[in-house]
């Protein structure tokens, strides 16, 4: 049973016991219900305390159960809360550490609530595209007032118990405790043992004058912020019901909204990503208890675009950093940019001046490799050139202490080759950050053929410490993300040749939800980066067909925002992309040279050609074992490439379309003589799953 039962004199204590966060899965619910029955049947018991064992009161429902018969099997959360309310002996929730979602709703069903100071209180359902579904939207406004409750429900953000307890007129907590919350709750339960009638949150009135005006204001604000997600606005509808309807009728409204949201693609996508994020940190052959190497001080080589951002991640986490460059002026320039970045945060009020000083105080600089001797990990971020990498790694091999981890931030080079420059390839790993490295969430952790398991485990843990989403990738050209983006870019090029404009393609993709279409993205990242890679890649693989438009653009020196012109024109100092006559002429001339008559390409075709290009390559990457699972590919695209969250990532999007339909579309694209039939040959994994009606997940 996932709940423990004990008696302390005349008080029964039921402790949820389902590590790590006492999720309210079926077995835990049964355990609580049985504890309650036992306490009610025992004449020696006068009152009941409900609490959580270990590190949480309760983190809420078990979302793995959602959609399965287990989630509604009796006792479900609603009937459990009803049983607590109906208890003939007083119930006291002893809340500590974390009380979220269903956990908080359970506490709201008790007659009294005693909370430890510092407990995190939240109804975070909106983050998985839902509203609270076990009375949260009806009970929280009754104890905290409409505005505080709505803020918590719409944002899903946790608030500390003692802050909530300070709200004038609040009825959420009867007591805030600094010491042992269960001891206090037991004493409190004894105090209330004979008090009748017992208070119920459902009987409280929600009083809110001017409710309509307030909810209208809330709808305007929330609607503007939550454009692709239905749940936030629905939170308002549910809370509004608490002000207008009787409790039981409000509960019906909540239930209807909850059930309707459960089947939306947006909620499914968010739940998929919630699980995907947790799955990504697991590595099949690396046990969770693998001993980690100690990382107290790190080194970064190269103070360029990436080096500075990478260093900031570690400084932010309180880790000592030493930065190495070839020349003092490069070092000065790099450090200057880092300081400016921090100063901008101070100006915006996002960082305190003393924090800036503290962080910069953790940084030292050097021109000598000797100064790296006491570091536990080094991240190389020098020029993307195998010769330079060779020289750097040979030197590192000589100077770094035994057991130090040697990481490369290379985007495209063969990590196994880099490892081979050292006599300790087991200590070499890829840490592929994304630009700007201090902002982007994604860290591709590249596992070389010889990378030791403890090195991998250490870097995954370190990545978490610097607040990155880590996804493991095997060694392949471009790793997971960039190998896929190459196919996306190739399709984007074909679309231009066939008749689309950069604006049309970007608009279609942005409407689909991408943070930026492929051409605006190219202008931001620098079109020369891809040009350089294509020169290397397509010289090695001359049979690969691709559109030369991007090369022609670079030949015009139009590298993007940094040169003031790319696929679009830019006014100096501004980032607004303006359609360019030069580019239109260039594309039209190229089309004429190829003898192509432009056709109008529907937006849906644009979206599907670009997204399915990602999906097909993603399927190959999963099949080859480069990515551990399809959901890892989704995490890469959500956290590193601006793929819309409400689509759940490219692989999840393909699942929602049905893999059979994806393959059918690919067949249509392959029949287009201007496209590349070979391009659209379904990846083996896709070809296997589609006819069986299966999905990637
Ligand atoms: N720019 C990106 O968007 C991006 C994204 C991910 C990964 N990367 C990778 O990160 C690495 C660095 O890229 P970047 O964009 O920061 O380049 P950059 O040119 O901005 O910076 C490279 C820095 O390394 C220094 N350097 C070169 N050789 C050195 C050596 N032998 N010893 C010490 N310092 C040396 C240079 O002086 C320069 O300051 C490359 O491997 C690149 O592929 C770049």
């Amino acid at each position: 049973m996932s709940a423990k039962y004990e008696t302390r004199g005349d008080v029964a204590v039921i402790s949820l016991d389902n590590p790590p966060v006492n999720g309210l899965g079926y077995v835990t619910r049964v355990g609580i219900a049985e504890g309650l029955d036992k306490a009610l049947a025992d004449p020696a018991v006068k009152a009941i305390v409900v609490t959580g064992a270990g590190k949480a009161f309760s983190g809420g429902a078990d979302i793995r159960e959602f959609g399965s018969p287990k989630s509604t099997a009796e006792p479900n959360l609603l009937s459990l809360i009803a049983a607590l309310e109906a208890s003939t002996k007083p119930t006291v929730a002893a809340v500590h550490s974390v009380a979220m979602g269903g956990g908080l709703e359970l506490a709201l069903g008790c007659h009294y609530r005693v909370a430890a100071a510092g407990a995190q209180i939240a109804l975070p359902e909106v983050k998985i595209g839902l509203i609270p579904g076990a009375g949260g939207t009806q009970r929280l406004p009754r104890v905290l007032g409409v505005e505080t409750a709505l803020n918590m429900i719409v944002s899903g953000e946790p608030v500390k118990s003692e802050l909530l307890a300070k709200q004038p007129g609040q009825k959420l907590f009867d007591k805030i405790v600094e010491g042992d919350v269960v001891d206090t709750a037991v004493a409190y339960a004894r105090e209330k043992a004979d008090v009748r009638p017992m208070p119920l949150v459902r009987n409280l009135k929600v009083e809110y004058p001017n409710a309509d005006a307030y909810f209208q204001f809330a709808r305007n604000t929330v609607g503007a912020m939550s454009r692709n997600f239905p749940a936030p606005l629905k939170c308002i509808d549910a809370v509004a019901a608490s002000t207008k309807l009787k409790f039981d009728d409000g509960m019906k409204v909540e239930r209807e909204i909850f059930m309707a949201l459960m089947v939306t693609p947006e909620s499914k996508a968010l739940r998929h990503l919630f699980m995907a994020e947790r799955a990504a940190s697991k590595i099949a052959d690396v046990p969770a208890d693998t001993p980690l190497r100690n990382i107290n001080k790190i080194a970064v080589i190269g103070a360029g675009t990436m080096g500075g951002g990478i260093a900031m991640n570690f400084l932010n986490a309180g880790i000592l950093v030493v930065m190495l460059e070839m020349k003092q002026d490069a070092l000065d320039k790099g450090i200057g940019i880092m300081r400016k970045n921090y100063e901008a945060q101070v100006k915006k009020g996002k960082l305190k001046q003393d924090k800036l000083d503290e962080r910069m105080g953790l940084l030292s600089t050097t021109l000598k490799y000797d100064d790296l001797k006491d570091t536990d990990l080094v991240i190389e971020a020098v020029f993307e050139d195998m010769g330079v990498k060779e020289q750097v790694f040979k030197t590192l091999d000589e100077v770094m202490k035994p057991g130090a981890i040697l990481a490369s931030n290379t985007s495209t080079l063969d990590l196994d080759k880099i490892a081979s420059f050292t006599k300790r390839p087991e200590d070499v790993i890829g840490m592929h950050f994304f630009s700007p490295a201090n902002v982007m969430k994604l860290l591709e952790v590249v596992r070389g053929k010889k990378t030791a398991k403890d090195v991998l485990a250490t870097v995954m843990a370190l990545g978490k410490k610097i607040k990155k989403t880590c996804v493991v990738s095997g060694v392949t050209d471009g790793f997971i993300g960039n190998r896929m983006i190459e196919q996306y870019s190739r399709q984007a090029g074909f679309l231009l040749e066939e008749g689309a404009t950069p604006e049309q393609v970007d608009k279609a993709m942005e409407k689909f939800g991408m943070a930026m279409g492929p051409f605006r993205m190219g202008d931001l990242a620098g079109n020369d980066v891809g040009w350089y890679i294509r020169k290397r890649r397509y010289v090695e693989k001359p049979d690969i067909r691709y559109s030369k438009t991007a090369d022609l653009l670079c030949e015009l020196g139009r590298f993007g925002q940094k040169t003031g012109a790319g696929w679009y024109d830019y006014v100096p100092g501004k980032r607004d992309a303006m359609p360019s006559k030069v580019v239109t002429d260039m594309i039209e001339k190229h089309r004429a040279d190829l003898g192509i008559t432009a056709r109008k390409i529907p937006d849906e075709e644009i979206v599907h050609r670009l997204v399915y290009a990602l999906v097909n390559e993603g399927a190959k990457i999963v099949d080859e074992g480069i990515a551990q699972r399809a959901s890892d590919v989704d995490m890469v695209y959500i956290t590193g490439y601006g793929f819309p969250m409400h689509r759940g990532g490219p692989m999840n999007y393909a699942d929602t379309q049905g893999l059979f339909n994806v393959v059918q579309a690919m067949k249509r694209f392959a029949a287009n003589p201007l496209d590349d039939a070979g391009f659209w040959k379904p990846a083996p994994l896709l070809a296997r799953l589609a006819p069986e009606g299966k999905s990637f997940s």
Side-chain angles (χ1 to χ4, degrees), residues 300-308 310 324-327 330-331 333-334 369 380-385 388-389 391-392 408-413 431-437 482 525 529:
V300 176
I301 311 214
T305 310
M306 294 306 287
I310 292 171
L324 181 142
E325 259 287 350
M326 289 183 298
K327 295 207 179 99
L331 212 42
K333 189 174 160 208
Y369 274 89
E380 163 279 308
V382 302
F383 299 138
E384 186 76 338
D385 178 283
V388 183
K389 305 272 189 208
Q391 183 206 330
V392 169
S408 171
N409 181 46
T410 181
S411 318
T412 54
L413 300 176
M431 290 177 77
H432 186 218
F433 288 86
F434 288 71
S435 185
N482 283 343
V529 180

Side-chain angles (χ1 to χ4, degrees), residues 612 651-665 686 690 693-696:
Y612 294 167
M651 309 307 271
N652 183 72
Y653 178 71
D655 279 349
T656 63
Q657 298 298 297
L659 298 188
F660 176 82
N661 298 322
V662 172
V663 171
Q664 293 303 74
L686 193 49
K694 288 192 178 154
S695 67
F696 289 123

